[in-house]
Amino acid sequence: MTSSNEHRRTTAASGVEPRGQSQLTLGDGDTPSSSDLSTLVPESEEERAAREAEAQEAAAKYDAESRVRKDQWRPLALVISGVAIFIALYHIYTAYQPLLPTLVHRSLHVSVMLFLVFMIYPPTRKAQAALWRVPDVILALLSLVPTFYLWANYEQVVLQAGRFSALDVAVGTLLVVLVLEAARRVTGWALPILAVLFILFGLYGRELPGLFRHRGYDWDTLAYSFYATTEGIFSTAIGVSATYIILFIIFGAFLAKSGMSLMFNDLALAIAGQTRGGPAKVATVASGFMGSINGAAIANVVSTGAFTIPLMKKIGYTRTFAGAVESTASVGGQILPPIMGAAAFIMAETLGVPYTTVALAAIVPALLYYVSLIAQIHLRATRMGLKGISKENLPAVLDVLKERGHLMLPLLFLLYMLFFSGRTILFSAAMTIVVTVLVAMLRKTTRMGPKQILAALEDGTRSALGVAVACACVGIIVGVVSISGFGVTLASAIVSLSGGVLFWTLVFTMIACLVLGMGLPSIPAYIVTATMAAPALTQLGVEPLVAHLFVFYFGLFANITPPVALASFAAAGISGGKPMATGLASLKLASAGFVIPYIFVYNPDLLLLDVSFLDGAAVVISAIVAILLLSTAIEGHFMVDMAWYLRPVIAAGAIMMLNTNLTFDLIGLGLVILVLAVQLLKARSAGRLSIRSI
């Protein structure tokens, strides 16, 4: 990589400023200024690094995954780096040529990830002293025992068909304890506590009342099922982590090293920076793209928000709204194809459908979500009289594409491989990583040398730790649900509680997903909700793919739903706003996202499944219009401020227009026309009846 001075000299000739083309020195004010950003100057690399470090420190308060050891003994750091690089290379190679049986491969994935967790993450935030290294090294070495034991006794474990020895139980117990402790360190307390509750549920099922009662199992049976089967810790969740997820996280690390995140930011600035509320729209677009690739909402808030949140504050948005924009956009990236933060691959694996089916079905709802965000951002800016960034402080689209546009080629290559090549997803991901390195070589400013390549491999493995450990911990929950039949019981209970009415079943399922998803990373949240909540919808005839998308949305939105809105709280740590207020603002901003899943349950044509082109186009256009109207109701502004009693009227009209019933469509259209007519008359009286007032 070039130094900052070399980078400036390299880019000066093309008229594209280095990182400063988007990274601007910003003030920290929270009240609208003149919105004149002409005084802003490009940040140096050192200033940018300091700003990102501040964002990391602020987010670490809410994101356990950011709390790594600060100081490393050099020889030990080299060992950790070497292990991380080896893990990345191993997974890339096995995507092309599998080396081990499935169970052994998954156990190796878990063991090495646990090893790194205990070496990198301290047991508590303050446990940084060298003395803590001793127990952590012991735990790290113990993490390798389950894989070595399974590897050495693989045939016996497979052939014994449920008959287990005391040593099997001991190794299984060790693995469960290690997974729970690692999950506590990386993800916080929520997930391991949930797993322990399910273990207790499995052990004491006979003593539980009514709905929760089952035959109960002794610890030996549970420990064996957790360890020696593919319905426990080594279930589908960890199987996807050991294949698709880690490869796409490594791919994202290579994109980051090549400067893809800078390109997204700069391109978004060039396109939307001048418009009203431009920085907020930049945050939405850039965070959406990056969130789809890296699948980590909080990490995305930190990396993108370190730049976008101060810029939003500078043009006049409040701290609370700036944090809400960044968190809702970052969370939404995981519903955005083609990668969906790797959730698309898990969903395809779980449902047994082609990946392309999931990706295509998710496109329109994701676009509607982002249309709603941008519409609310625009209306808020119009109401507050905010402007964008002056043109002289923005890069030109052609300059950005000239400097970094070639970095889009790996994404295009990935789309080709996934949709048209006929090759496996694993092979496609591995080849795309290679293509990313080669494409980055095309320009000096994006070129990766050996150090950057090794750093990308290490970063990819480190970024995968949280997901891998969370998936292993979720395997404990899935194992108990599977052996006890709790998923079917819960589904029946939800259906009974709702009286068999689809709408109320959807509401209760939504609540269950929001509760189950509290404090969990998005992928484990989806796995938990898909296991326990989705069956309630399929019992009432909802298509499995539709049901899984429904629970995925709400498990994901738990990250921005108070009282435990971790993504919003992390954004508040950067913006300086109040965490709970930011969470509530995020909830309001994402309101349309809470409506969209109901829309595609009642109108599956929105997912473009088995519909003609004309029918699909009609559904999409009407949905976009309705979502724009709903955003208008949420923000309460159209040319002029909207009276409070008109907002529910236009909201009801918008929702009715989303119904497939023609009568409801006409009633909804009438309500919308009535409200818009009132707004036009008010705008005329206020002298604001013009296109520029919208």
Side-chain angles (χ1 to χ4, degrees), residues 572-614:
I574 300 171
S575 69
K578 294 180 179 180
M580 193 59 68
T582 303
L584 292 172
S586 302
L587 190 62
K588 178 183 176 183
L589 196 58
S591 296
F594 283 77
V595 175
I596 290 168
Y598 287 87
I599 298 172
F600 61 64
V601 168
Y602 282 103
N603 187 4
D605 288 352
L606 197 66
L607 303 181
L608 305 182
L609 300 175
D610 300 322
V611 296
S612 66
F613 175 80
L614 291 178

Side-chain angles (χ1 to χ4, degrees), residues 489-501 505 508 535-537 539-540:
T489 303
L490 181 62
S492 299
I494 291 175
V495 173
S496 298
L497 187 63
S498 65
V501 178
T505 303
F508 292 135
L537 301 181
Q539 281 191 20
L540 292 181

Side-chain angles (χ1 to χ4, degrees), residues 159-291:
L159 295 175
Q160 63 192 5
R163 298 186 301 274
F164 46 84
S165 65
L167 191 55
D168 292 334
V169 174
V171 174
T173 302
L174 172 65
L175 181 61
V176 170
V177 172
L178 292 172
V179 166
L180 290 174
E181 170 58 13
R184 183 193 67 81
R185 295 188 184 197
V186 180
T187 68
W189 284 97
L191 185 56
I193 287 175
L194 186 61
V196 169
L197 290 176
F198 270 87
I199 290 174
L200 295 175
F201 172 74
L203 290 172
Y204 299 106
R206 290 179 183 273
E207 284 74 35
L208 296 174
L211 172 68
F212 299 101
R213 184 179 178 85
H214 64 91
R215 58 173 290 185
Y217 299 89
D218 58 32
W219 173 249
D220 290 359
T221 302
L222 288 179
Y224 176 79
S225 66
F226 292 149
Y227 169 65
T229 72
T230 55
E231 293 185 350
I233 291 174
F234 305 136
S235 65
T236 300
I238 207 65
V240 176
S241 172
T243 50
Y244 308 128
I245 294 177
I246 189 169
L247 285 177
F248 280 97
I249 289 177
I250 294 171
F251 169 53
F254 273 94
L255 286 180
K257 284 294 179 185
S258 67
M260 172 63 82
S261 60
L262 310 186
M263 195 273 287
F264 279 146
N265 277 347
D266 295 341
L267 191 60
L269 269 174
I271 294 172
Q274 268 190 289
T275 62
R276 290 174 187 157
K281 296 173 184 175
V282 170
T284 302
V285 175
S287 297
F289 276 120
M290 291 308 299

Side-chain angles (χ1 to χ4, degrees), residues 36 77 179 207 271 288 387 461 551:
D36 179 12
V179 166
E207 284 74 35
I271 294 172
K387 300 177 181 178
T461 300
V551 300

Side-chain angles (χ1 to χ4, degrees), residues 375-675:
Q376 289 184 66
I377 288 166
H378 180 83
L379 291 170
R380 175 70 61 96
T382 302
R383 189 176 69 184
M384 296 176 67
L386 304 183
K387 300 177 181 178
I389 303 173
S390 56
K391 188 175 182 180
E392 58 269 22
N393 282 282
L394 292 173
V397 173
L398 291 179
D399 288 341
V400 174
L401 293 177
K402 182 179 178 181
E403 182 69 13
R404 299 184 184 275
H406 60 288
L407 296 179
M408 294 294 291
L409 293 176
L411 291 177
L412 296 176
F413 177 80
L414 176 62
L415 291 176
Y416 166 76
M417 292 295 292
L418 291 175
F419 285 90
F420 305 109
S421 71
R423 305 302 294 265
T424 66
I425 296 173
L426 293 181
F427 180 81
S428 300
M431 287 302 299
T432 304
I433 293 172
V434 176
V435 169
T436 302
V437 176
L438 296 177
V439 167
M441 298 292 181
L442 295 177
R443 290 191 67 86
K444 186 177 180 180
T445 52
T446 60
R447 194 168 298 152
M448 289 182 283
K451 287 185 179 180
Q452 285 72 37
I453 292 173
L454 293 176
L457 291 169
E458 181 180 357
D459 289 349
T461 300
R462 283 174 172 260
S463 298
L465 291 177
V467 175
V469 171
C471 285
C473 194
V474 164
I476 296 173
I477 300 171
V478 172
V480 174
V481 170
S482 176
I483 199 172
S484 66
F486 179 69
V488 176
T489 303
L490 181 62
S492 299
I494 291 175
V495 173
S496 298
L497 187 63
S498 65
V501 178
L502 179 58
F503 175 77
W504 292 114
T505 303
L506 292 172
V507 171
F508 292 135
T509 303
M510 175 189 72
I511 295 171
C513 292
L514 291 174
V515 172
L516 291 170
M518 283 183 181
L520 300 186
S522 57
I523 289 175
Y526 162 65
I527 296 169
V528 171
T529 55
T531 302
M532 292 189 282
L537 301 181
T538 57
Q539 281 191 20
L540 292 181
V542 177
E543 289 293 324
L545 176 56
V546 178
H548 277 247
L549 281 173
F550 184 91
V551 300
F552 176 57
Y553 264 68
F554 289 113
L556 185 65
F557 288 157
N559 279 285
I560 52 174
T561 304
V564 186
L566 295 184
S568 298
F569 293 170
I574 300 171
S575 69
K578 294 180 179 180
M580 193 59 68
T582 303
L584 292 172
S586 302
L587 190 62
K588 178 183 176 183
L589 196 58
S591 296
F594 283 77
V595 175
I596 290 168
Y598 287 87
I599 298 172
F600 61 64
V601 168
Y602 282 103
N603 187 4
D605 288 352
L606 197 66
L607 303 181
L608 305 182
L609 300 175
D610 300 322
V611 296
S612 66
F613 175 80
L614 291 178
D615 289 341
V619 168
V620 170
I621 292 171
S622 63
I624 290 174
V625 171
I627 286 296
L628 289 173
L629 293 169
L630 186 60
S631 301
T632 303
I634 294 168
E635 197 54 45
H637 183 86
F638 180 75
M639 292 191 172
V640 291
D641 286 346
M642 188 176 294
W644 66 266
Y645 52 84
L646 292 178
R647 294 169 69 175
V649 176
I650 194 172
I655 293 173
M656 293 177 77
M657 287 175 63
L658 290 166
N659 198 288
T660 54
N661 186 296
L662 180 59
T663 302
F664 282 122
D665 283 344
L666 294 175
I667 295 173
L669 181 61
L671 293 176
V672 167
I673 291 174
L674 175 64
V675 174

